[in-house]
Amino acid sequence: MTAMPSFTGDAIPYGGGDPYADYRTADFPFTHHADLADRRLGAAVIAANDEFFAQRENLLLPERAEFDPERFGHKGKIMDGWETRRRRGGSAGHPWPTAEDHDWALVRLGAPGVVRGIVVDTAHFRGNHPQAVSIEGACVPGAPSPEALLSDDVKWTTLVPRTPVGGHAANGFEVGVGQRFTHLRVNQHPDGGIARLRVYGEVVPDPAWLAVLGTFDVVALENGGRVEDASDRFYSPATHTIQPGRSRTMDDGWETRRRRDRGHDWIRYRLAAQAAVRAVEIDTACLKGNSAGWASVSVRDGEGGEGDEWTEIVPRTRLQPDTNHRFVLPEPAVGTHARVDIYPDGGISRLRLYGSLTTEGATRLTARHQELSS
């Protein structure tokens, strides 16, 4: 197994031109998972001990950090990230911070789940990034206040031990803790700035909440659905199709490259659990000259072993650009997986599968939730 690349130390000072030209990054193995700290899922940075130079909310902005070398404010250089003031020691004889001194921010995940990897992005923080970071996770039901999270009653589990990081770099960390978390505490030692935080993992929804809903979108990311594979991710991730809400821009959907063969494109999904699907939505919002020409939807019950056949529940149907297409099924279709096929290429913005968990699906989801929350 190849070790992940890591970055330490300052980056070179900005010398003009493209500020990302010397940015240090890598293809981390966990980034195919959903970002549990996505603002679109309801994630937020609910508190920080210091945000003197740049506010904590910047940590979760979906776009990459920007850098304007000419932009200054009354506190100094304006940075697109979370930046704290410089820590000092207690006296002239010892002006340096202690080994324990650090700044922290509390992050509420938009979708609670199992964290598989974290990226601490210090883009444009070249000499003012933290020397090291550490990250902890907690599982607390409801909507606890920052004061409640910081109380002695909350158990915090180390996800990333104190580790040196580099400036102007995507610092990636694999996480091997198989537990469900709702909140993170991000620590930077002793001070500095972080541009963005990405928390990749698997959503583990609350089965009691889904049971109360009854009928819901069983493939939605926030309800525990996920993309397992896709034929093409050239322009945008397939995971966009199960994000909350309708697309507001063309790139907030799934779009493939133009095919020059006789094939077609597809996405395969895993549902929240075994479910009975009763209605389907295929939305092409904001895709006008590049929406898919036709689409079909199928479900499968099982892991794809012998006898686990795909059953078509929406036959190949002509799609209109920038339109939400709705289909009521003549009878419920039971499955654990779903697949949307588009012909020949193009894109869709959202897929919705409305239904309810079967008894078997609800039982398995409850058991997994209990196992990961203990």
Side-chain angles (χ1 to χ4, degrees), residues 31-42 110-114 180 199-206 210 216-228 237-245 252 269-273 350-353 365 368:
T31 55
H32 65 282
H33 292 289
D35 181 4
L36 304 182
D38 193 322
R39 282 286 299 163
R40 291 169 293 185
L41 293 175
V114 179
R180 179 180 185 266
V199 183
Y200 296 98
E202 301 166 13
V203 177
V204 181
D206 183 351
L210 298 184
F216 59 93
D217 182 1
V218 297
V219 77
L221 182 61
E222 60 190 318
N223 295 330
R226 66 179 187 266
V227 169
E228 286 194 330
T239 302
H240 282 176
T241 59
I242 53 176
Q243 288 279 4
D252 185 22
Y269 305 88
R270 178 184 287 271
L271 307 185
R350 296 289 188 271
L351 175 72
R352 306 297 187 205
L353 303 178
L365 186 64
R368 182 168 186 256

Side-chain angles (χ1 to χ4, degrees), residues 68-114:
D68 183 350
E70 304 300 326
R71 194 177 181 204
F72 287 83
H74 67 281
K75 291 183 178 180
K77 183 73 185 73
I78 296 176
M79 297 294 291
D80 186 6
W82 168 50
E83 185 182 6
T84 65
R85 73 194 80 196
R86 299 182 187 223
R87 283 185 170 269
R88 299 295 188 228
S91 67
H94 198 285
W96 309 279
T98 69
E100 292 75 31
D101 285 343
H102 68 277
D103 293 317
W104 54 264
L106 293 178
V107 177
R108 181 187 67 233
L109 298 179
V114 179

Side-chain angles (χ1 to χ4, degrees), residues 111-123:
V114 179
V115 178
R116 299 301 185 189
I118 297 174
V119 173
V120 176
D121 188 352
T122 57

Side-chain angles (χ1 to χ4, degrees), residues 203-289:
V203 177
V204 181
D206 183 351
W209 176 252
L210 298 184
V212 169
L213 294 180
T215 297
F216 59 93
D217 182 1
V218 297
V219 77
L221 182 61
E222 60 190 318
N223 295 330
R226 66 179 187 266
V227 169
E228 286 194 330
D229 200 2
S231 62
D232 188 291
R233 298 179 176 90
F234 188 81
Y235 285 113
S236 47
T239 302
H240 282 176
T241 59
I242 53 176
Q243 288 279 4
R246 295 193 75 199
S247 295
R248 295 187 177 182
T249 58
M250 188 182 75
D251 62 346
D252 185 22
W254 174 59
E255 182 188 357
T256 71
R257 74 192 82 195
R258 300 189 187 207
R259 276 190 173 268
R260 303 307 188 195
D261 58 21
R262 308 298 289 180
H264 73 282
D265 290 313
W266 50 268
I267 306 174
R268 187 178 74 243
Y269 305 88
R270 178 184 287 271
L271 307 185
Q274 187 189 66
V277 179
R278 298 183 178 86
V280 176
E281 284 187 2
I282 303 174
D283 196 357
T284 58
C286 302
L287 294 165
K288 299 179 180 180

